[in-house]
Structure formats: structure tokens, C-alpha cells
Amino acid sequence: MVHSKVQAVTERIILRSEESRADYLTQVEKAHIEGRASAHLSCGNLAHAIAASPQRDKQLIASGRGPNLGIVTAYNDMLSAHQPFGTYPARLKEAATRHGASAQVAGGVPAMCDGVTQGRPGMELGLFSRDVIAMSSAVALSHDMFEGAMFLGTCDKIVPGMVIGALAFGHLPTIFVPAGPMPTGLSNTEKVRVRQLYAEGKVGRAELLEAESASYHSAGTCTFYGTANSNQMLIEIMGLQLPGSSFVNPGTGLRDALNEAAVAQLVTITEPSQHTPIAKILTEKAFVNGVVGLLATGGSTNHTLHLVAMARAAGIQLTWQDMADLSEVVPLLCHVYPNGTADINHFAAAGGMQFLIRELLSAGLLHPDVHTVLGDSGLKPYCCDPFLNDAGDGVVWRPSAEESADTSVIRPVSNPFSHHGGLQLLEGNLGRSVIKVSALKTAQLKIRAPAIVLHNQDELLARFKAGELERDFIVVVRFQGPRANGMPELHKLMPTLGVLQDRGFKVALVTDGRMSGASGKVPAAIHMSPEAVEGGAIARVRNGDLIELDCEAGVLRVLVDEKVFAARKPAQCDLSENARGMGRELFANMRAMASGAETGASILY
């Protein structure tokens, strides 16, 4: 039986979304056509589409004997997580042939790496790249040549953008095919230690680069539990990937077998008798399952934006309040860096997604009766682990272990790390924001300190080097929202604030910007809404104002007389200096059109 709170939140979302969901499903139904897509194209259209295809595929597509699968790829070889996708299309096409289908690369999407752009002007393009990816996915599939779609993506904005794009083609059966995490390298604890030593000037750039390179050392996703790996958790628990496929390393036999199985399964669900389009998978229940997974694992705060935007693409009105209410009953079951010391490979070995899903299902915290890429079998198959078969050329699923192999990493519902989820909604006279609490110690959950107000993260570094920050404070970094400068991540602040926290000072961050999924050690109230450039209350904070941050009570407020505070004129900031260079001028219209953080910071919905 589903938990009463989970059921109540789900019913509330269904009721709230009744009109918009119905409109979406009507559009899906209009787009659906009986038979093969090629039969509805003119001879000229079809000739263009198959001109470069192998003779066998030409005949198959023209005759309509087998489904044609469109591959949308985020391959580039600068981004380690997406470098393995370079070899995928040829192998997926071969697999399609073996299963009586054809496949074509429909198009590519851009794939930024936040790890490369952190603290750089290019980071201001990052969030908007999600919507560009959605539109690029739509362009790829707009040729109307396909009976099914395969999405090759893993990292931060790429997967949410692909989901939004895929939902615009909600009539198509769709499967996501990840690349997996890189093998474990230098521990995250050691990496952070060296970063902080560098921030203090105790080691040089050579030592820092050596540590970073030992951590990020090969193909695959970064091994911490940031946005990229949170993506993989979400896509699996929402039923868009094969069970157990999220965290299998690239270049392994099991990874290859899972890719082959993904093709076979997509072919299966394109058939009329088992037709399972993505609109049938991503329902209100699926999105609630995604939120529950995010809370139970202490996942990336970026998904308080992405989940809202993804849901809207499906006609579903998901809110921060829904997430907050679910957080009251969903326990924190995982400690993966930055919430603990273990990496994602350790998480997978300790029980991973299979143990997590089984525990949440047994506690009634997930909806079991959902469609997935396996069809109408629900979430129960996602409690099984994938293994190579005896011949080593295919994959079989077996029930996972009933106990955690390491309770310092993943625990049962009966013994959680916390009885509430890893994210918290904050409210008060500054507006509404979110904070990741899963990595915070008890002493950091409540802070009351004077404000230091900045309009640029580099200002904090300068003041730190000048020795001006040896005290308790809450740094307010504003004019970092979507309409101001694209809402960049401010992870560059973390080593400095971490050093001060380790020295015994109470420090925290309040911002209308974002924070990296790798952040968590320092209290950070982020996504402040309304943002400063829109006249939000954060624009009225002044240096020295006493700010109270109480994660337990869900309160963030400035302790100034309400009438005095309301009468203050909001600060202004000249943003023109940062509106050009590194491609930022091309995104001016997106900044002007962007919705607020609570509605996904999107230009699309």
C-alpha cells in the first residue's frame, strides 16, 4: 500500500494538472500514427531520409517491415561522461539489425561540462543549455522518420534537456542509454583536502592539478553524487532506463550487453501489442517516484529546477511544496559524497539502485503500478541486478541482496541516516529557496550571523585573501538568477567557505544562483525566488543585517524590522559588463524570457 502522504501529494498533483495534462495527452494522441512512419512520407521525403543508409536498411525502412529507431546523441570527447558515446551509434545500429530493426543518428545535442566552466563566464550558459538541448532534440526527431527514440546522455543539463525534448514527441517509445561512471580514483575526501590547501595558499597549482587529475582520470561520469549521477538515479527510478543500468562502468562487457538489451527492448515496445510511448511512462506517479528517489538519496539541488521543468513538458504541475511535503516522510537512505565519503561505485557495490528501490517500495514510498521501458510490469523488476549470462554475450537479471553490503553508504528504511529527505524548502521574508541538508552536520543546521553582501563570487575570494573574513557571517551573493546572468553554479565559493568553516567559524551562503551538485559541506540556501533582478527581497539585504537560517524549521529570514525592510529600495546591479563574451550575448533573449526558479527557470513552459 502506498504511504498516505505520498498518495495525497500525488492526488494533489493530478488534480492541479488536470487541464494541462489533458492538453498534453491530446497533442500526443494527434501525433500518433498507425503503422510505420515511412508509410506517411512522400517518396521524395523518404528518398532523402534513406539516401545514405546501407542497402539493407533502405529496403527495411521503405518496406516498413521493422521499426526505425532515431538516435539522439550528446557525444563529445571533451566531456568524459559522454566520450564513450562516440562508439555507440555503430554498435546500436548493429544491434538493431540483429533485432529486425534499423537505426539512424537523428541528430546531436550540445553537452557542456560544468566541471570545466565552473567559475568561468561559460557557466552562465549552463542552465540555458538545458532548453537548447530540448530544442535540439526536437529538431533531431522532427523528420518524423522514427518509430522509437534512443537518447545517449548522462550529465547535468543534458539528460533533463533530452527528457523535455523527448516529451515533445510523447507518442514515441523512448529509452535512455547511459555510459556509466568512471572507475574509482583519488578519494573525494583527499581531493577536497587539497582544494582547501590550495585556497589557503599552502600548496601550488601543480599539486592541485595532480589531485584533480587523479580524481577525474578516465572516461565516464565523475564518481561523486552530483547532478550527473542524480540524473541516472532519476531516469532509472522513473522507468526510462533498463533496471540496474545507471552505474555500470564504461568499456565493460556488462555495459555492452545492457546497450544491446536496450535496443532489443525498444524494438519490443514499438510493436502495436506492447506499444509504450514516453507519455505513458512519465506520469504524475513517475514524477513523484523521481522526487522520492531524489530525497532518499540526498541528490542534487539542481533537480528542484529540472524536475519542475521536465514535469511541465509532460503537462504536469510539480511544485517545491510537493517536494517539501514528500520530504517529511521520505527518509534519507544514502551517504554518497558529498553526503559521505563513498563514491557512486561504492554505492552500486553496496546495493545501489536495486536495494534502494526495493526498500522504498516495501515502505510504500514509491508507486509500484507504473509503466516503464519494460512495459506494464511496474517497478518490481527494478529490484533486480543485471549480470552477464553464462555465454558472456547477454544480460540476465537476478534478485538483489536483501541486506546492504555497507550500511555506512546505504541503509534500509528501518535504520535511515535521517527520517526526512536530503532537501529542505526554506521560507521567510527573503522569499523561498532550497537547501541540501544531507551533507550538513547538526551544528550547521542553525546559523544566525551578519550578512556580507556581494554581487560577484570573485569578491569573496579577494576578501578572503585580504584576511577580512575571519568571523561568523552569511554571504549573500545576489544578481545570480536566471534573468540576471543565466543562474550559474557558484561552486567556486565552496573551498573558501569550507576553509573558514573548518577554522570554527559559522558560515553559510544565500543566493539566487545555483550550487554544484557536488556541494553540500557548507549550508547554502540557493535558488532564492524571486531573484534580485526582479526586485526580490534578497535585493534589499544590506551588509551587517542579521540573518537567521534554520534548516530544521525550514526558515530563512533577515532579522530587520519588517516595515523598515519593506521600505528599503532594492539594490541595482549593472549587468551589462557580463552580458557579452564567451557566447553570452547570444543568450540575451533567453535571460529576458526565463521563468523563475520555482517554475523551472525555463524559456519553454
Side-chain angles (χ1 to χ4, degrees), residues 191-515:
K191 175 187 66 180
V192 171
R193 186 187 72 83
V194 177
R195 282 181 178 175
Q196 293 192 175
L197 288 174
Y198 179 76
E200 294 178 275
K202 294 180 179 178
V203 300
R205 185 178 175 85
E207 290 86 351
L208 178 63
L209 181 58
E210 182 180 0
E212 297 284 358
S213 297
S215 180
Y216 310 117
H217 61 93
S218 70
T221 60
C222 307
T223 59
F224 58 83
Y225 191 50
T227 310
N229 287 320
S230 295
N231 280 340
Q232 299 311 302
M233 179 281 302
L234 276 173
I235 296 303
E236 185 167 335
I237 206 169
M238 293 173 75
L240 282 178
Q241 284 179 179
L242 290 178
S245 63
S246 293
F247 305 123
V248 176
N249 302 124
T252 61
L254 182 55
R255 178 84 274 160
D256 293 340
L258 283 164
N259 295 346
E260 170 101 16
V263 175
Q265 188 58 33
L266 182 58
V267 170
T268 297
I269 61 174
T270 64
E271 294 305 316
S273 62
Q274 300 189 58
H275 195 254
T276 310
I278 189 173
K280 199 171 185 178
I281 294 173
L282 291 187
T283 62
E284 295 90 343
K285 288 182 178 181
F287 276 100
V288 168
N289 284 351
V291 173
V292 169
L294 187 71
L295 294 168
T297 57
S300 171
T301 51
N302 278 319
H303 281 296
T304 61
L305 304 173
H306 298 327
L307 273 167
V308 171
M310 291 156 59
R312 285 183 167 237
I316 296 169
Q317 308 297 318
L318 178 68
T319 70
W320 284 359
Q321 191 61 55
D322 297 327
M323 298 182 189
D325 290 348
L326 289 169
S327 187
E328 293 177 4
V329 298
V330 176
L332 179 65
L333 302 184
C334 305
H335 264 188
V336 187
Y337 183 84
N339 306 330
T341 59
D343 71 6
I344 202 68
N345 293 309
H346 195 162
F347 165 77
M353 292 297 298
Q354 297 72 43
F355 182 85
L356 173 75
I357 291 173
R358 191 179 63 231
E359 283 296 308
L360 293 172
L361 279 173
S362 67
L365 295 169
L366 291 175
H367 291 286
D369 55 335
V370 292
H371 285 82
T372 73
V373 293
L374 298 181
D376 61 0
S377 53
L379 272 186
K380 189 174 181 180
Y382 284 77
C383 300
C384 294
D385 283 315
F387 293 89
L388 284 173
N389 61 17
D390 292 339
D393 59 358
V395 61
V396 293
W397 280 267
R398 300 169 185 157
S400 62
E402 295 185 2
E403 296 183 0
S404 169
D406 189 340
T407 55
S408 71
V409 178
I410 184 168
R411 292 183 179 180
V413 170
S414 60
N415 181 33
F417 292 101
S418 170
H419 289 284
H420 56 78
L423 300 176
Q424 174 72 49
L425 174 65
L426 299 172
E427 299 181 276
N429 59 4
L430 287 177
R432 286 157 63 94
S433 61
V434 295
I435 189 167
K436 187 173 184 175
V437 295
S438 50
L440 300 179
K441 297 178 180 178
T442 302
Q444 296 158 358
L445 296 176
K446 294 182 180 181
I447 296 177
R448 182 180 291 192
I452 294 178
V453 182
L454 306 175
H455 294 174
N456 187 304
Q457 59 183 327
D458 291 330
E459 296 176 46
L460 183 82
L461 306 180
R463 295 186 66 169
F464 173 73
K465 290 177 180 178
E468 300 174 4
L469 300 179
E470 302 290 318
R471 54 194 171 94
D472 295 350
F473 65 88
I474 294 179
V475 61
V476 178
V477 185
R478 60 195 182 193
F479 295 100
Q480 306 296 313
R483 286 192 171 230
N485 63 354
M487 207 179 190
E489 291 183 348
L490 304 175
H491 186 60
K492 188 176 178 181
L493 295 168
M494 288 299 104
T496 300
L497 292 174
V499 166
L500 292 167
Q501 184 171 273
D502 288 350
R503 290 177 182 176
F505 299 110
K506 284 187 171 291
V507 296
L509 169 68
V510 173
T511 182
D512 49 8
R514 293 185 297 123
M515 189 52 59

